[in-house]
Structures are given as C-alpha cells and as structure tokens.
Amino acid sequence: MRIGFVGTGAITEAMVTGIVGAGLGVTEIHVSPRNREIAARLASRFPSVRIAKDNQKVVDAADILFLAIRPQIAEEVIGGLTFRKDQTVVSVVAATDRSKLLSWIKENVNLTQAIPLPFVAEREGVTAIYPPHAEIAAIFAALGSAVECETKEEYDLLAVASALMGTYFGILDRATSWMAQKGMASEKARAYLAPLFARLAQTAVRTGQTPLDILRREFSTPGGLNEQMFEDFHRSGGSQALIGALERVLERVRG
C-alpha cells in the first residue's frame, strides 16, 4: 500500500510517525516538499518516506491520499491537482465542508473526512471520520482508535469537541499560574495538576457507561471543596461561557 500526503505540517508528521510504527503494511509514503524541514526529517527517520517533486506527484503515487492542508490555502492547492476516478482520498482539512472539497477535487473520488489529533504519533489518538469507511477506520484504529460518524451532524460535533484541547491546557495554565502567584513553584504545581487531570480523564474512559454528572457527584463530597468549586464556577457563568464558545465554534465549522 502506498500512502501520500499533500501538505507536510505537524499533523502529517504525527500521522507518518504513527503509521510507520503501526505495522500497516505501508510500503511507500510520499510527502509534499512544501515544508522542506519536516519532509527532510521524515525522510531521514523512515526509509519508506519519499519526498515528491511536487503535490501532483504525491497524488499520482498514492493508493490512499491524505489532504493535510491549511484551510486558508486548501482551495488553491486542491483545485490545482488532478485526481483519479474512485481514488481513496482522506481530507484532514479543518472546518471545510465536504461539498466544497468535492467541488475543488472535480472528480468522483471516495472522500472521507477525518480529525486526527497529535497523539496519533504515539498511536494513542482518537480520530473521528465521516462517512464510515472500513479501510480508513482501520488505519486510524491502528493509531489509537477511530470513531465512525454516521452523519455530518455527528462529525461536526466531534470537530467542535476537538477544539477543547487549547481550553484544557488553558485551564491547567491558569490554575498553575494562580498557585505560582501564591508562592508555589510553577513546576511543582504542574507536577501535581497534570497527573491529576490525566487520572480524571482515564476514569471517564474506564467508566464509560457512568454518566459524567454522576462521576462529578462521586468526586464531590456534599458540602466539600469540589462541590464548592463547581457550583462557584457554574454560578459565575462558567458553564454558560463554555456552551456559548461551543456554539460559536459549531457555527464556524458549519460555515
């Protein structure tokens, strides 16, 4: 199997790293030359990686083609390429409607959209794909796990959910900064909070059938500090601000 990547950014580097280590039977990985530093680094690390002369050469060589382009330049780049009929194409272009992608491709390809996250490099990612596609799902399952969306509405909601990553780190940053202002070394604050948050996430995964509100209550003694923290957060508009931000990102995703 030969895989190609049009666009050689951070997500391409993460995916290539994960794919090479996943034992998927990929014989060649053709990458775009646009980001010379990343392309050269991948070629030097992995014998299966080939740096193509240009993007069209990537398209021509690939059995499965990944479009990993910034949305700001996606129309220009994709519109200048010639695709094969029934070619398997996976778009990881953020916040770009499927109908737009097909109008730029101008060929009857088998198009799947995906939202790979950086953790695919360690094969610990969770990737949303739409529509369901057994071969593409198998690739992302080898890079962690795959969630196949039955509808565009489901896919859009997971795209919004993936936008919470920065907020997650932002909360850690604000909390550690507050602790540092109170006199604790920020490194020590982080050494405590980061594993705490990691264990909470692992608990949510392990107890997948337990409603999250029940978990919140189980981790909040009545009248205790955890209960006080959440109620203060909620009364101060935290929940409303979060939902408002989710709604605005959804509007952007839907165009």
Side-chain angles (χ1 to χ4, degrees), residues 1-232:
M1 177 171 56
R2 298 177 302 172
I3 291 179
F5 287 87
V6 173
T8 317
I11 287 299
T12 291
E13 184 169 22
M15 289 188 61
V16 170
T17 301
I19 287 170
V20 170
L24 287 168
V26 177
T27 56
E28 297 177 5
I29 300 176
H30 297 261
V31 299
S32 166
R34 183 176 179 85
N35 188 317
R36 296 183 183 279
E37 181 180 348
I38 293 179
R41 184 161 62 237
L42 289 171
S44 67
R45 290 179 63 193
F46 307 120
S48 59
V49 172
R50 314 278 192 273
I51 303 176
K53 180 180 178 181
D54 53 40
N55 286 331
Q56 186 60 55
K57 294 296 185 183
V58 176
V59 177
D60 295 342
D63 299 316
I64 298 177
L65 177 69
F66 288 88
L67 301 175
I69 313 155
R70 290 185 291 111
Q72 296 88 339
I73 62 171
E75 181 176 7
E76 176 187 354
V77 173
I78 296 172
L81 299 173
T82 300
F83 297 80
R84 300 190 301 276
K85 182 181 179 181
D86 296 326
Q87 187 171 16
T88 299
V89 179
V90 183
S91 170
V92 301
V93 182
T96 304
D97 186 75
R98 180 181 179 82
S99 61
K100 285 185 180 179
L101 291 165
L102 289 170
S103 71
W104 301 339
I105 291 171
K106 300 187 290 289
E107 184 57 86
N108 186 23
V109 300
N110 294 316
L111 177 65
T112 302
Q113 292 177 271
I115 312 171
L117 304 176
F119 320 112
V120 295
E122 292 82 29
R123 301 187 297 283
E124 295 180 353
V126 54
T127 305
I129 70 170
Y130 171 75
H133 189 294
E135 187 175 21
I136 302 308
I139 290 174
F140 284 113
L143 303 183
S145 62
V147 177
E148 298 184 77
C149 298
E150 301 294 335
T151 66
K152 180 181 182 299
E153 288 73 21
E154 286 183 346
Y155 182 77
D156 286 347
L157 290 175
L158 294 186
V160 173
S162 70
L164 286 166
M165 290 190 294
T167 302
Y168 173 87
F169 286 113
I171 291 172
L172 276 174
D173 176 64
R174 296 297 185 273
T176 55
S177 295
W178 175 82
M179 294 168 75
Q181 290 172 6
K182 296 297 182 181
M184 175 174 282
S186 58
E187 295 82 3
K188 186 175 291 186
R190 177 172 175 168
Y192 180 82
L193 283 176
L196 172 63
F197 275 41
R199 289 300 301 165
L200 292 171
Q202 291 167 7
T203 299
V205 172
R206 188 179 67 251
T207 59
Q209 301 303 313
T210 304
L212 293 173
D213 186 57
I214 297 299
L215 288 179
R216 178 183 64 81
R217 296 183 189 196
E218 288 180 354
F219 279 76
S220 302
T221 303
L225 301 180
N226 279 279
E227 183 181 75
Q228 176 184 333
M229 179 71 74
F230 178 78
E231 289 183 353
D232 192 25

